[in-house]
Amino acid sequence: MAGDRGDDLVVAGMRPQSFGTTSSPYDPVHRGTTFILFIDSLIVLFVIYTLVQALLPSGLEAVLGLAAALLTMNWLGYRKKATICYWIAPLIIGLAALFFLGEALLMLYVGNYLFAFLMIWACFGSVRRVMTHFHPGFKHAYHNTTEIIPDLPLESGEMYAACPTCLAVLAIRPGMLHSSDRCPHCQNQLVSDNLAAKYEQE
């Protein structure tokens, strides 16, 4: 029995089926970011179209065609994990985040609070995708390099665990975890409310 348990081990907090068809736990994050990059590239293309139409209408077709080609090449490169696209992608997502923020402020000014909320939510989501690129685990997974995990000194009662959201390696005390505890890297919950309530009842 003990010899069979090794096949059931997964990254802490992740569902076993999450890794059934992927070679890395960061692959789903990359796929999600690739989709966001596609949407945000269309938004950036729309912004370019609006600006060029207002400032240089005679060169609209040339500029728009060049921008569309470059954005498409970047998206395809990022999808295939091309090195040159690693920082270009978050730059494009960041530009889209600025657009969302501007739209949110405009909607707040005119009193359209629902649309403002949606734009703020989209801005926040884009910023989180940008910050993902600063995470060393994601960076190593994207470039297919080996991540060197530092030898964290453990105190009495501590153990190693991975954040269920960003997979950062943390030193924790399992018996002291609470639903209010947050990952220092991504600021998401380390323990769900349901899981914390279950162990508090026990």
Side-chain angles (χ1 to χ4, degrees), residues 194-202:
N194 293 336
L195 186 60
K198 175 184 176 182
Y199 282 98
E200 285 174 3
Q201 291 175 357
E202 294 178 356

Side-chain angles (χ1 to χ4, degrees), residues 9-198:
L9 295 179
V10 296
V11 178
M14 303 297 285
R15 297 187 302 275
Q17 60 269 28
S18 299
F19 302 99
T21 59
T22 182
S23 59
S24 168
Y26 292 99
D27 283 349
V29 180
H30 176 258
R31 285 195 298 270
T33 306
T34 301
F35 176 74
I36 295 298
L37 175 62
F38 176 77
I39 300 300
D40 286 354
S41 295
L42 293 178
I43 292 171
V44 170
L45 188 64
F46 171 75
V47 172
I48 293 174
Y49 168 79
T50 305
L51 292 176
V52 175
Q53 189 179 41
L55 302 175
L56 189 64
S58 60
L60 179 61
E61 291 184 3
V63 174
L64 199 63
L66 179 61
L70 292 175
L71 289 170
T72 301
M73 289 172 59
N74 177 71
W75 178 75
L76 291 173
Y78 187 83
R79 186 181 178 187
K80 295 180 179 179
K81 299 183 179 180
T83 302
I84 193 173
C85 300
Y86 185 78
W87 288 114
I88 299 176
L91 176 63
I92 293 172
I93 296 174
L95 290 175
L98 289 177
F99 171 78
F100 292 140
L101 180 60
E103 285 293 309
L105 293 176
L106 179 62
M107 291 301 105
L108 286 174
Y109 179 75
V110 300
N112 191 340
Y113 299 112
L114 176 60
F115 197 75
F117 170 78
L118 294 175
M119 289 296 101
I120 292 173
W121 178 78
C123 177
F124 179 73
S126 293
V127 169
R128 288 187 62 186
R129 292 291 178 174
V130 171
M131 296 307 296
T132 299
H133 292 78
F134 291 94
H135 190 282
F138 181 79
K139 186 175 182 179
H140 283 289
Y142 183 94
H143 295 294
N144 197 26
T145 56
T146 302
E147 180 182 7
I148 301 175
I149 300 176
D151 187 15
L152 301 175
L154 292 178
E155 298 180 1
S156 177
E158 289 185 336
M159 63 177 291
Y160 292 126
C163 169
T165 304
C166 71
L167 305 180
V169 178
L170 307 171
I172 65 166
R173 287 194 173 112
M176 299 179 65
L177 280 178
H178 190 267
S179 58
S180 61
D181 291 326
R182 302 277 174 174
C183 172
H185 297 281
C186 66
Q187 302 304 317
N188 285 310
Q189 282 183 301
L190 291 175
V191 181
S192 67
D193 294 329
N194 293 336
L195 186 60
K198 175 184 176 182

